[in-house]
């Protein structure tokens, strides 16, 4: 319990100071990809949930089209909202 609390506290402090603690984090991995000149034209997010992962990836690849695939109807409203906000570059589909 104490180790988990300490890890959480250090993560919060590091993130607010701008220190990258985890070299394998999504943000760090995407930054490495752009730094290597990787050109991404399509982002496919299977199990998109609320679309958070795709939106984070679009910050690094703003011209990429997104296809968000989700099976849970409960996420439909949020994903539709993101579709409208992002525009034609972002589409969601439901597996039923």
């Amino acid at each position: 319990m104490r180790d988990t609390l300490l890890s959480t506290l250090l993560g919060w402090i590091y993130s607010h100071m701008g220190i990258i603690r985890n070299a394998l984090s999504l943000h760090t991995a995407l930054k490495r990809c752009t730094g290597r000149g990787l050109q991404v034209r399509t982002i496919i997010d299977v199990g998109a949930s609320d679309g958070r992962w795709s939106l984070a990836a679009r910050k690094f690849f703003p011209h990429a089209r997104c296809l968000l695939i989700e099976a849970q109807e409960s996420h439909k409203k949020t994903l539709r909202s993101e579709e409208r906000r992002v525009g034609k570059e972002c589409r969601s589909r439901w597996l039923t």
Side-chain angles (χ1 to χ4, degrees), residues 43-51 54 66-72 75 79 83 90-96:
I43 298 167
I44 301 173
D45 188 353
V46 179
S49 185
D50 61 2
S54 296
C66 290
L67 174 61
L68 292 80
I69 302 169
E70 179 55 53
Q72 295 187 29
H75 296 293
L79 291 178
E83 257 185 1
C90 182
R91 293 290 173 240
S92 23
R93 299 292 177 260
W94 281 264
L95 302 174
T96 54

Side-chain angles (χ1 to χ4, degrees), residues 19-78:
I19 298 171
I20 298 173
R21 183 176 67 106
N22 184 354
L24 299 177
S25 72
L26 172 63
H27 176 83
T28 307
L30 290 169
K31 190 172 183 178
R32 272 195 313 270
C33 289
T34 57
R36 293 177 180 162
L38 182 65
Q39 298 294 315
V40 173
R41 293 186 299 178
T42 305
I43 298 167
I44 301 173
D45 188 353
V46 179
S49 185
D50 61 2
R52 194 175 312 173
W53 186 90
S54 296
L55 293 174
R58 281 207 45 148
K59 289 179 183 175
F60 291 90
F61 305 105
H63 301 292
R65 291 178 175 260
C66 290
L67 174 61
L68 292 80
I69 302 169
E70 179 55 53
Q72 295 187 29
E73 193 74 23
S74 60
H75 296 293
K76 193 172 195 172
K77 184 178 179 182
T78 304

